[in-house]
């Protein structure tokens, strides 16, 4: 190496080489352990505290043989490269950057990604690190090697990240947008991240198990706009180089179709559901790298002819209220169990004369109804996270922690030949997270979670339900 290269002013710059492992320059901490969950061009990644962390390679100090120390940082800035390796500077002297690490800094991209057509097509799906950690916790409770192998496979599939409170949005939105951007910078592939926007005032007005933090009043609507949607907008504008899909407010608009007259809480929430949707569509629907899907319940909610006809009018009104924002389409079967195809069912007494007794027939019918209602962009994402096996429910409207659950079709773009309006099968509801508590004394207890076919005992909505997860991976269709 040529020692004649000037070192003046170099000592002042040595602080740039202070990260303890490669992930710190990408905005992620170093792992305290060494379990590898994912590997890319940056290095090996683990998951701790619901977030990605970098696993430092054991350094090989090749520069010692040449009379120079190893750099104390595994990601020291590269000042010179020769046949020996990469050199950094610390304390006014040369040091060798250990092999097996990557030097240099990553600069966030200012490029603008623009979605054209199906956002799930031609991209790599982002892996949710929080879910990986949940599954690791589940594996720690297992002893059956075959079950553990199935659970390990679950960590390799993408699922949605739920922004179900203001606090969770603040914790999870930006960190995962950063993760997707870093993954893109290391792999060169476009990385799609899917988020669920889920914090409307008066959320889930017809159920108790998943009521939200914001109430149906003007003050909480203002909070929804300023503390939730506006913050989401700001982060999405900052991280604009990668595609993002937003699943918008599950159950909300479907409740406006069927439950306004029967449920006072839904009547009280109508104004806030409509204003909230109009606001978020205007704000987020104009971003070129974002595709939004409004929730349409499932086959045994809006499948009947009169419900579909009414839904067309409601959804057309909502979409037009958000102009100039755009909506790509709609999502069905979110957090539900209705099979994609069920040839054993037809329109008759056992289905209460529903002409759409499975999700495929539902989408076939409602796509025509929505186009007839004047909706221009009619595409679908179908939640296949828990509908691989027909569950034991006595009535197809049962929705809480159903026994017999099985994980369904894997996340995939354009999965069904001849259905060009089906953008993807995707895991929106993470298998293993409870639908609601079975504790009748709990404030958020919903009667459906105490029904005969609901698995018990069950924890609160969103909390980990080990028994339900294990049954889901055992019954996976196709098998894991």
């Amino acid at each position: 190496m040529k020692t004649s290269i000037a070192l003046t002013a170099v000592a002042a710059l040595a602080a740039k080489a202070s990260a303890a492992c490669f992930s710190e320059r990408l905005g992620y901490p170093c792992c305290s352990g060494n379990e590898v969950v994912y590997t890319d061009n940056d290095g090996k990644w683990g998951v701790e505290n619901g977030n990605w962390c970098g696993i430092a390679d054991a350094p090989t100090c090749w520069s010692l043989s040449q009379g120079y120390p190893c750099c104390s940082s595994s990601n020291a800035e590269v000042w010179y490269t020769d046949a020996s390796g990469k050199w950094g500077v610390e304390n006014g002297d040369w040091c060798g950057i250990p092999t097996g690490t990557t030097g240099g800094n990553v600069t966030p991209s200012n490029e603008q990604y623009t979605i054209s057509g199906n956002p799930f097509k031609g991209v790599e799906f982002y892996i949710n690190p929080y879910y990986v950690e949940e599954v690791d916790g589940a594996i720690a409770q297992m002893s059956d090697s075959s079950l553990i192998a199935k659970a390990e496979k679950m960590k390799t599939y993408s699922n949605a990240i739920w922004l179900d409170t203001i606090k969770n949005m603040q914790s999870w939105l930006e960190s995962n947008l950063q993760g997707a951007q870093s993954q893109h910078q290391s792999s060169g592939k476009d990385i799609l991240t899917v988020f669920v926007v889920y914090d409307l005032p008066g959320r889930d007005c017809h159920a108790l198990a998943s009521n939200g933090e914001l109430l149906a009043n003007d003050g909480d609507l203002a909070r929804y706009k300023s503390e939730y949607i506006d913050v989401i907008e700001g982060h999405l504008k900052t991280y604009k180089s990668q595609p993002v899909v937003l699943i918008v407010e599950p159950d909300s608009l479907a409740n406006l179709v069927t439950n306004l007259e029967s449920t006072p809480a839904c009547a009280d929430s109508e104004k806030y559901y409509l204003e909230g949707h109009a606001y978020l569509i205007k704000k987020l629907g104009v971003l070129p790298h974002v595709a939004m899907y409004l929730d349409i319940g499932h086959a045994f909610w809006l499948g009947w002819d009169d419900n579909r006809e009414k839904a067309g009018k409601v959804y057309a009104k909502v979409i037009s209220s958000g102009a100039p924002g755009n909506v790509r389409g709609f999502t069905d079967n979110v957090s539900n169990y209705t099979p994609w195809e069920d040839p054993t069912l037809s329109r008759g007494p056992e289905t209460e004369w529903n002409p759409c007794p499975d999700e495929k027939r539902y989408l076939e019918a409602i796509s025509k109804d929505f186009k007839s209602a004047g909706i221009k962009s009619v595409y679908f994402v179908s939640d296949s996270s828990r509908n691989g096996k027909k569950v034991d429910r006595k009535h197809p409207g049962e929705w809480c922690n159903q026994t017999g659950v099985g994980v369904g079709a894997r996340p995939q773009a354009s999965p069904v030949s001849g259905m060009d309006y089906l953008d993807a099968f995707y895991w929106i509801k993470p298998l293993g997270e409870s639908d609601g508590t079975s504790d009748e004394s709990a404030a958020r207890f919903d009667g459906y979670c105490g029904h005969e076919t609901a698995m018990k005992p069950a924890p609160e909505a969103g909390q980990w339900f080990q028994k339900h997860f294990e049954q889901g991976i055992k019954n996976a269709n196709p098998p894991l």
Side-chain angles (χ1 to χ4, degrees):
M1 173 187 166
K2 299 179 180 178
T3 56
S4 60
I5 296 176
L7 292 178
T8 55
V10 165
L13 296 172
K16 289 185 177 181
S18 60
C21 65
F22 75 90
S23 60
E24 288 192 338
R25 64 183 170 81
L26 302 174
Y28 292 88
C30 301
C31 296
S32 59
N34 59 5
E35 181 181 357
V36 178
V37 172
Y38 181 77
T39 302
D40 61 15
N41 290 341
D42 286 310
K44 297 175 181 177
W45 296 85
V47 174
E48 292 179 357
N49 301 317
N51 200 5
W52 292 107
C53 58
I55 298 172
D57 288 328
T60 302
C61 197
W62 52 268
S63 59
L64 290 174
S65 62
Q66 301 188 35
Y68 292 90
C70 256
C71 299
S72 61
S73 163
S74 61
N75 283 285
E77 186 170 359
V78 178
W79 286 89
Y80 184 75
T81 302
D82 62 11
S84 300
K86 297 177 180 179
W87 297 85
V89 173
E90 288 183 351
N91 302 316
D93 199 3
W94 292 105
C95 59
I97 297 175
T99 58
T101 64
T102 57
N105 297 313
V106 174
T107 302
S109 173
N110 289 320
E111 295 180 4
Q112 175 67 63
Y113 188 97
T114 298
I115 292 174
S116 177
N118 183 353
F120 291 85
K121 202 167 186 178
V123 297
E124 187 173 288
F125 298 162
Y126 180 71
I127 302 298
N128 179 354
Y130 179 75
Y131 188 68
V132 170
E133 186 175 36
E134 285 187 311
V135 175
D136 279 335
I139 290 172
Q141 301 179 53
M142 298 176 183
S143 57
D144 184 331
S145 60
S146 64
L147 197 62
I148 291 172
K150 295 178 188 295
E152 289 287 354
K153 290 181 181 178
M154 291 292 292
K155 298 192 297 184
T156 67
Y157 294 105
S158 178
N159 57 26
I161 299 165
W162 287 64
L163 310 177
D164 55 353
T165 64
I166 292 170
K167 180 180 178 181
N168 285 343
M169 179 273 295
Q170 292 169 338
S171 298
W172 296 341
L173 177 60
E174 185 175 23
S175 63
N176 286 292
L177 289 171
Q178 289 174 341
Q181 181 171 286
S182 297
Q183 189 174 332
H184 164 71
Q185 290 173 334
S186 63
S187 70
K189 298 178 181 179
D190 294 320
I191 310 299
L192 174 69
T193 310
V194 179
F195 296 98
V196 180
V197 176
Y198 189 51
D199 203 25
L200 268 175
R203 185 182 77 192
D204 218 351
C205 59
H206 190 62
L208 297 175
S210 47
N211 289 162
E213 63 182 349
L214 301 180
L215 303 179
N217 59 54
D218 292 347
D220 278 1
L221 177 63
R223 290 191 64 199
Y224 179 74
K225 293 178 178 180
S226 63
E227 297 179 37
Y228 187 72
I229 296 300
D230 288 356
V231 177
I232 292 174
E233 177 195 27
H235 287 312
L236 291 178
K237 283 182 174 180
T238 299
Y239 298 94
K240 59 184 180 179
S241 67
Q242 296 303 296
V244 171
V245 159
L246 300 179
I247 306 299
V248 177
E249 298 294 351
D251 295 347
S252 57
L253 296 181
N255 272 316
L256 298 189
V257 176
T258 63
N259 293 319
L260 283 180
E261 296 179 1
S262 63
T263 308
C266 291
D268 293 342
S269 299
E270 179 183 18
K271 168 188 174 181
Y272 304 105
Y273 284 14
L274 294 175
E275 287 193 30
H277 274 83
Y279 188 81
L280 71 88
I281 293 171
K282 288 176 183 177
K283 286 278 190 173
L284 309 179
V286 296
L287 303 177
H289 64 298
V290 175
M292 292 198 298
Y293 296 81
L294 307 183
D295 182 68
I296 57 168
H298 53 85
F300 280 95
W301 191 342
L302 301 182
W304 288 267
D305 294 342
D306 55 345
N307 284 350
R308 297 196 322 272
E309 181 181 2
K310 186 177 180 181
K313 297 175 183 178
V314 170
Y315 285 81
K317 176 183 176 181
V318 167
I319 292 170
S320 64
S321 73
N326 298 307
V327 171
R328 167 70 182 176
F330 310 91
T331 185
D332 68 292
N333 209 36
V334 173
S335 301
N336 209 263
Y337 301 87
T338 309
W340 173 246
E341 290 186 280
D342 189 350
T344 68
L345 292 180
S346 60
R347 186 171 193 169
E350 65 177 329
T351 62
E352 298 180 359
W353 305 100
N354 185 349
C356 306
D358 57 34
E359 292 305 305
K360 182 178 182 181
R361 280 177 277 186
Y362 176 47
L363 295 191
E364 289 172 341
I366 206 167
S367 65
K368 297 174 183 177
D369 295 318
F370 277 14
K371 290 175 182 177
S372 297
I375 299 174
K376 296 180 180 179
S377 185
V378 183
Y379 298 91
F380 300 95
V381 177
S382 191
D383 188 352
S384 59
S385 61
R386 305 192 300 180
N387 69 345
K389 179 180 179 291
K390 187 174 181 178
V391 293
D392 302 334
R393 54 188 177 181
K394 302 290 186 182
H395 183 276
E398 299 280 1
W399 55 265
C400 190
N401 297 322
Q402 292 300 287
T403 56
V405 64
V407 69
R410 311 304 181 255
Q412 180 185 354
S414 304
V416 179
S417 176
M419 294 185 73
D420 58 355
Y421 51 86
L422 179 62
D423 280 347
F425 286 145
Y426 191 78
W427 292 355
I428 299 173
K429 170 71 173 186
L431 175 71
E433 294 185 1
S434 175
D435 294 320
T437 181
S438 59
D439 180 0
E440 296 183 12
S441 66
R444 284 156 55 98
F445 172 74
D446 190 293
Y448 276 90
C449 299
H451 284 186
E452 180 183 352
T453 59
M455 186 180 288
K456 297 178 271 300
E460 290 279 2
Q463 294 182 7
W464 190 255
F465 194 174
Q466 181 76 10
K467 185 177 178 182
H468 207 240
F469 175 75
E470 291 185 8
Q471 186 175 77
I473 61 177
K474 287 177 182 177
N475 291 336
N477 179 30
L480 287 164

